[in-house]
Amino acid sequence: MVKTMSISFLHCKKLGDDICRYGLCIRQCERKVESLNMKQSNIELEMSNLGDMVVAKIEGKADSAAAVIHKLLRASQSEQLYLKYAHGILGVVALLGEVRTHKLSSMLSTCLGEDQMLVVVCKSHAAARALENYQMDGTVNCVSALDILAAKFGTSIQGRCSIICLEDIRPYMRGVGRHPQIELAFPPPSLSNGKTPPGFLGFAVNMIFPPAEHFQIRTASGHDLRETSFYRLLGKLQVYQSREYLYMARSCIEDGAVSLDGGMIRGNGVVSIGCEEPYILFPVNCLERRLPLSPENVERLKRMEDLKLELKKLELKQTQDEIQEEVRTMEKFKKKLVKKLQYKRQIDDQLVPSPGMDNSDMDIGRASG
């Protein structure tokens, strides 16, 4: 009897140890999956900030003018000849500016809204007019050029299309600063005590930069993208470190303001609340300083961005494979744990005395078994 009880005790102890071990293994797998999911989210976030991914998202909106325009700009030179003044189309707002952090990209993109992020930008009024009317065989076709282009790409355009003409914009004229990126020389906001509000990071228009291929774009009168399209869209929008600082500066906010932690004042007493991650974002470029580049260097940068995107895709695939493998391992441990727990219940049921049986009866029965 002593021997039988000793073996039973050792068996139960091993069973308990196995249950604890499988539980710990499952918890370790859960932690690793959590870590890998976070890694996956960060990779996807980095990818969303790459110019190529923004282009893919824009072209994914197949029934929009923005998608058709970017398919045209990526098409061969011969295909672009179908549209007069195609060389005068720069692209959409989302791809004409870059910022240095994802938080700033998210807030500016949210503030503008997707409709404005997808506005088509042209150098001249003639280029904009070419999108509206299309001449074919010397006759005027009342169907817009964009509709014809969309048909060529196997799609159609729904709704209206907004177009910005750089030459028609009243540019910022009151001088510029000495910054290499030609910042607009707005006087800093001032509180009633004459001091700049704490947490003020700058004006949004000076925190967005044209990509290398558009750095030297100028209108006929010599104005760049910041003095024209960015100023037209962002005005004197202010950027603050946090909501706390944003609300402290309410008295000196003219054209609205945003904070990097999600705060937004649209101006004239309107506060925007809630949380939203926009689908279309400004690309993020962390370079501290960029000067005009030669066409060769612009092309080299483009190839580097393409390579970076491919590497990120590979890293994302590897991470997803690791998650799947870890989940499979965790499921194996769960199945083993379930079996051990079921077995433990069976043993527990055997150890519980039935009604009318005292401990001595149970011991005798166990020993005889």
Side-chain angles (χ1 to χ4, degrees):
M1 175 178 173
V2 174
K3 184 177 179 181
T4 303
M5 292 184 66
S6 176
I7 293 173
S8 179
F9 172 76
L10 292 174
H11 183 71
C12 290
K13 184 178 184 303
K14 183 179 183 304
L15 181 60
D17 291 342
D18 288 343
I19 290 173
C20 289
R21 179 164 56 87
Y22 290 141
L24 287 173
C25 289
I26 290 170
R27 182 54 186 149
Q28 288 174 353
C29 288
E30 288 175 342
R31 287 174 178 170
K32 191 165 184 181
V33 169
E34 288 174 4
S35 176
L36 288 170
N37 281 332
M38 186 175 296
K39 181 180 178 181
Q40 176 179 310
S41 297
N42 289 336
I43 294 172
E44 291 172 340
L45 183 61
E46 290 179 29
M47 289 175 65
S48 71
N49 290 326
L50 294 175
D52 285 352
M53 285 298 293
V54 179
V55 170
K57 287 182 177 181
I58 291 172
E59 293 188 357
K61 293 182 170 292
D63 60 352
S64 69
V68 173
I69 287 297
H70 265 279
K71 287 179 180 178
L72 172 70
L73 295 179
R74 290 166 65 124
S76 63
Q77 194 68 28
S78 59
E79 286 184 295
Q80 291 188 20
L81 292 176
Y82 280 94
L83 180 64
K84 192 176 181 181
Y85 296 109
H87 63 280
I89 303 172
L90 298 180
V92 301
V93 168
L95 289 170
L96 295 183
E98 297 176 345
V99 296
R100 289 179 182 158
T101 69
H102 172 76
K103 287 183 178 180
L104 182 59
S105 172
S106 178
M107 289 311 302
L108 296 188
S109 302
T110 300
C111 187
L112 288 178
E114 191 168 293
D115 287 346
Q116 290 197 85
M117 291 290 285
L118 295 178
V119 167
V120 177
V121 180
C122 297
K123 291 182 184 177
S124 65
H125 183 76
R129 287 287 297 172
L131 295 174
E132 185 177 17
N133 296 312
Y134 184 74
Q135 293 185 350
M136 187 162 44
D137 299 330
T139 61
V140 176
N141 192 325
C142 59
V143 177
S144 78
L146 280 176
D147 290 323
I148 295 174
L149 282 171
K152 281 181 61 64
F153 292 127
T155 186
S156 61
I157 295 175
Q158 303 297 323
R160 282 182 166 271
C161 168
S162 296
I163 302 171
I164 288 178
C165 307
L166 295 187
E167 288 187 351
D168 291 346
I169 292 175
R170 184 180 301 166
Y172 180 75
M173 299 290 293
R174 285 174 284 179
V176 296
R178 296 182 179 180
H179 192 275
Q181 294 289 349
I182 316 179
E183 288 187 349
L184 304 190
F186 296 141
S190 178
L191 296 171
S192 58
N193 59 10
K195 295 182 178 180
T196 300
F200 173 71
L201 299 179
F203 291 98
V205 71
N206 290 330
M207 300 171 76
I208 187 167
F209 308 88
E213 61 269 28
H214 295 312
F215 188 88
Q216 300 186 70
I217 292 293
R218 297 289 186 277
T219 63
S221 56
H223 295 284
D224 62 17
L225 287 173
R226 176 167 287 153
E227 297 168 294
T228 53
S229 62
F230 295 161
Y231 177 57
R232 166 67 181 78
L233 292 165
L234 298 170
K236 294 183 179 180
L237 183 75
Q238 300 172 23
V239 180
Y240 287 85
Q241 185 67 45
S242 68
R243 282 183 173 88
E244 181 183 0
Y245 290 131
L246 173 71
Y247 297 140
M248 286 171 57
R250 295 193 312 276
S251 62
C252 54
I253 292 174
E254 296 180 34
D255 291 350
V258 297
S259 65
L260 297 184
D261 61 355
M264 187 180 300
I265 294 177
R266 294 194 177 274
N268 200 25
V270 179
V271 177
S272 181
I273 62 175
C275 180
E276 177 187 18
E277 182 64 22
Y279 181 67
I280 303 295
L281 294 159
F282 284 113
V284 173
N285 190 326
C286 298
L287 294 178
E288 288 298 320
R289 180 175 179 179
R290 285 170 294 150
L291 297 174
L293 299 175
S294 65
E296 294 78 12
N297 285 334
V298 170
E299 184 60 31
R300 187 176 294 113
L301 281 178
K302 183 68 173 70
R303 289 197 299 270
M304 288 173 62
E305 184 170 87
D306 291 342
L307 177 60
K308 185 176 181 180
L309 178 59
E310 291 305 313
L311 291 174
K312 285 297 175 185
K313 285 181 178 179
L314 179 60
E315 186 180 3
L316 179 62
K317 178 64 168 59
Q318 291 174 339
T319 303
Q320 290 171 338
D321 290 343
E322 288 181 46
I323 291 173
Q324 291 176 1
E325 181 60 32
E326 204 64 35
V327 169
R328 283 193 291 267
T329 301
M330 182 166 59
E331 289 303 317
K332 290 178 183 178
F333 283 130
K334 284 183 177 179
K335 288 179 181 179
K336 290 181 179 180
L337 178 61
V338 168
K339 288 182 179 179
K340 293 292 182 181
L341 289 172
Q342 288 174 343
Y343 185 44
K344 183 178 182 299
R345 288 192 197 99
Q346 292 175 2
I347 294 176
D348 290 343
D349 290 342
Q350 293 176 4
L351 294 176
V352 175
S354 60
M357 180 183 290
D358 60 20
N359 291 340
S360 60
D361 292 334
M362 185 176 66
D363 292 338
I364 294 170
R366 186 185 296 123
S368 62

